[in-house]
Amino acid sequence: MFKNYRVRDYDFKLILLMVCLTVIGILAIGSAKEAVQNKQILGFVMGLFIMVVLSFFDYSFFLRFHWLIYFFNIILLLAVALFGEEVNNAKRWLNIGFQFQPSEISKIMLILFYSKFIMKHREHLNSWRTIAAMLILLLPPLYLIYEQPDMSTSIVILVIFCVVWYVGGLSYKLIIGVLSVAVPAVVILFMMVLQPDQTIIKTYQQTRILAWLEPEKYATGAAYQQVNAMTAIGSGQLWGKGLNNNEISSVKNGNFISEPQTDFIFTIVGEELGFVGGCIVIILLFLIVLECINVARQAKDLAGTCICCGMAALIGFQGFINIAVATGLFPNTGIPLPFVSYGLTSLVSLYIGMGIVLNVRLQCVRKYNN
C-alpha cells in the first residue's frame, strides 16, 4: 500500500499550478460573496491535506476495490434521490451532519472504476460483450444524476467516459462508426428540443437553449444572467476594476448576477481582474490538463494512464464549458469552474482526484529509477 518515494520525484509543478488557481478562486469568491470565503479556504486546506495523504498511497491498492467504489457511488446517488435536499428545484445534496453533493464525487469514483475495468478487459475491450457491459454499468449513475436534474454533470460524465474508453484502446472503426451516427442524431435531437411541444428535456432546459439563441428576446428573463455576465467581462477591459472595488458601474456590485461565486465566477475574474486575469485562469487550467496528460504518458500501467486522462478530461472539459457559458458561447448550465468556483464538494473532490494523479507520477518515476 505504501512505498518508498523520494521527495525530489514529487510533482511540485502540478501542485503549484493548482494552488495558484485555487488562490485566485478564493480571492474572486471573497469579492463576490465575502461570507463564504472562509468556507472555501477551509475546503482548500482540507483538499490539499487529503491530496498529499492520497499521493503516498499506491493507487493500485484502491483499484482492487473498484467494484466497491462503483456500488458505493450508486448508493450515494440513490440516497440523494430518496433523502436529498432540494435547492432551487434540484435535489442534488445530502445532509449527514454536513452537506455535500455526491454527483461531484461520482466523477472521481467513475474514473477510478472504469480505469480498472478497462485494464482488466483490455484484451477484449472492443468485443460486443465488453462494450455492452461498460454501457450498461454507466446507465445507473448517469440516469440518477440526470434525474436530480443535472444534465450538465451528466454530459461531463459522458465525456469523461468517452475519453477514458478511447485512451483504454477503443477501436478507431468503432469511433468512426459511432460518430457517423451520433453527429446527425445530435443535430436532429437539437432541432427536436426546440419544438414548442417537445417532451425530451424539461421546460426550463429548453428555455435556456432558446435564451442562448435569442438573448434579446429573453434579456429580462432566462438570458438575464448570461447577458450581464458578458457585459461584466467586457467592462473589465485589460486589467480589470480591481478586487473588492466599490464602483457603482460594476455589474457585481449592482447584484445583476445571482450567486456569482459559483457558476459565474469567471464573470468576477473578468470584471475585476480583466482580460489578463481571465487569460491567467485559462492558462493555469490548460497547464494542469497538460501536466495530467504528461503524467499519463509515463504511467506504469493502463489504469494509471486512464486515471490521469480522466482527470484531464474532467478539468479541461468542465473548465471549457463554464467559461463558454460565461462568455455566451454555450447555453446557461449549472457547472462549476474547476478549482475556482465556490463549492467544497467540488474543490475537495478535485484534490482527491489529483492526489491519485500525483501517486501515478511517483509510481512512474519510481519505475524508471528501478
Side-chain angles (χ1 to χ4, degrees):
M1 186 165 64
F2 288 103
K3 296 188 177 182
N4 294 322
Y5 302 112
R6 297 183 303 183
V7 175
R8 67 180 184 182
D9 294 333
Y10 214 70
D11 198 342
F12 290 105
K13 178 172 62 176
L14 182 56
I15 295 173
L16 180 63
L17 293 170
M18 289 186 286
V19 169
C20 287
L21 193 56
T22 307
V23 168
I24 291 173
I26 290 170
L27 293 174
I29 289 165
S31 182
K33 190 174 182 180
E34 189 178 359
V36 299
Q37 188 180 39
N38 287 337
K39 289 184 179 179
Q40 189 74 355
I41 293 172
L42 175 64
F44 169 50
V45 174
M46 188 187 309
L48 196 62
F49 174 76
I50 296 172
M51 180 188 74
V52 172
V53 171
L54 285 177
S55 68
F56 291 107
F57 278 82
D58 186 347
Y59 68 91
S60 301
F61 172 78
F62 294 113
L63 296 184
R64 293 178 192 172
F65 308 101
H66 65 292
W67 282 109
L68 285 177
I69 292 171
Y70 177 82
F71 286 115
F72 181 63
N73 180 33
I74 299 298
I75 290 168
L76 282 179
L77 295 174
L78 281 172
V80 173
L82 297 173
F83 314 110
E85 293 188 354
E86 191 168 315
V87 180
N88 296 328
N89 299 316
K91 192 187 285 188
R92 302 175 186 173
W93 302 89
L94 268 183
N95 196 327
I96 54 174
F98 61 92
Q99 190 170 271
F100 71 103
Q101 192 174 351
S103 60
E104 291 295 328
I105 304 170
S106 181
K107 300 169 188 174
I108 310 300
M109 290 194 285
L110 286 173
I111 288 172
L112 294 177
F113 170 75
Y114 275 110
S115 295
K116 179 65 175 180
F117 187 90
I118 287 171
M119 189 171 76
K120 282 184 68 177
H121 300 86
R122 63 186 304 177
E123 299 298 329
H124 308 286
L125 190 64
N126 293 299
S127 69
W128 290 111
R129 183 176 178 178
T130 304
I131 291 171
M134 290 183 67
L135 293 174
I136 289 169
L137 289 167
L138 181 67
L139 288 177
L142 204 61
Y143 173 78
L144 289 168
I145 292 170
Y146 180 80
E147 285 297 307
Q148 291 180 359
D150 195 349
M151 180 187 284
S152 54
T153 299
S154 303
I155 293 172
V156 170
I157 286 175
L158 193 58
V159 169
I160 293 170
F161 170 76
C162 291
V163 169
V164 172
W165 198 1
Y166 167 74
V167 171
L170 183 63
S171 168
Y172 282 99
K173 292 180 180 178
L174 282 172
I175 294 172
I176 294 170
V178 170
L179 286 177
S180 64
V181 175
V183 172
V186 168
V187 173
I188 294 169
L189 183 65
F190 183 76
M191 299 303 295
M192 289 173 65
V193 300
L194 295 179
Q195 303 305 312
D197 56 346
Q198 66 85 31
T199 57
I200 300 170
I201 59 175
K202 300 184 186 303
T203 304
Y204 80 91
Q205 293 169 335
Q206 183 195 45
T207 304
R208 285 182 176 181
I209 296 173
L210 292 171
W212 171 61
L213 293 173
E214 302 177 273
E216 300 83 6
K217 185 177 177 181
Y218 295 85
T220 58
Y224 182 76
Q225 284 220 105
Q226 200 165 26
V227 170
N228 287 333
M230 289 186 286
T231 302
I233 292 170
S235 70
Q237 298 184 27
L238 184 61
W239 296 105
K241 300 172 182 177
L243 290 167
N244 303 297
N245 70 79
N246 295 316
E247 287 191 27
I248 299 174
S249 61
S250 169
V251 176
K252 179 208 73 179
N253 293 336
N255 294 319
F256 293 111
I257 301 172
S258 61
E259 302 298 322
Q261 73 277 8
T262 54
D263 304 332
F264 281 93
I265 193 65
F266 191 75
T267 301
I268 305 300
V269 173
E271 183 177 50
E272 302 197 343
L273 298 178
F275 177 76
V276 172
C279 285
I280 289 172
V281 168
I282 293 170
I283 290 169
L284 286 171
L285 283 168
F286 176 74
L287 291 176
I288 290 171
V289 170
L290 207 62
E291 186 63 16
C292 286
I293 294 172
N294 185 46
V295 175
R297 292 174 61 247
Q298 304 172 55
K300 69 173 185 178
D301 56 24
L302 183 59
T305 299
C306 290
I307 289 170
C308 294
C309 288
M311 287 304 301
L314 167 58
I315 294 166
F317 183 71
Q318 192 165 299
F320 170 74
I321 293 296
N322 180 279
I323 294 171
V325 168
T327 53
L329 295 176
F330 277 12
N332 191 359
T333 61
I335 196 165
L337 183 59
F339 300 106
V340 183
S341 290
Y342 170 69
L344 270 65
T345 313
S346 173
L347 185 62
V348 174
S349 297
L350 285 169
Y351 273 104
I352 288 172
M354 296 308 290
I356 299 170
V357 171
L358 286 172
N359 183 257
V360 174
R361 156 78 178 178
L362 285 171
Q363 293 274 355
C364 70
V365 172
R366 188 173 182 271
K367 179 186 73 172
Y368 290 130
N369 288 337
N370 292 338

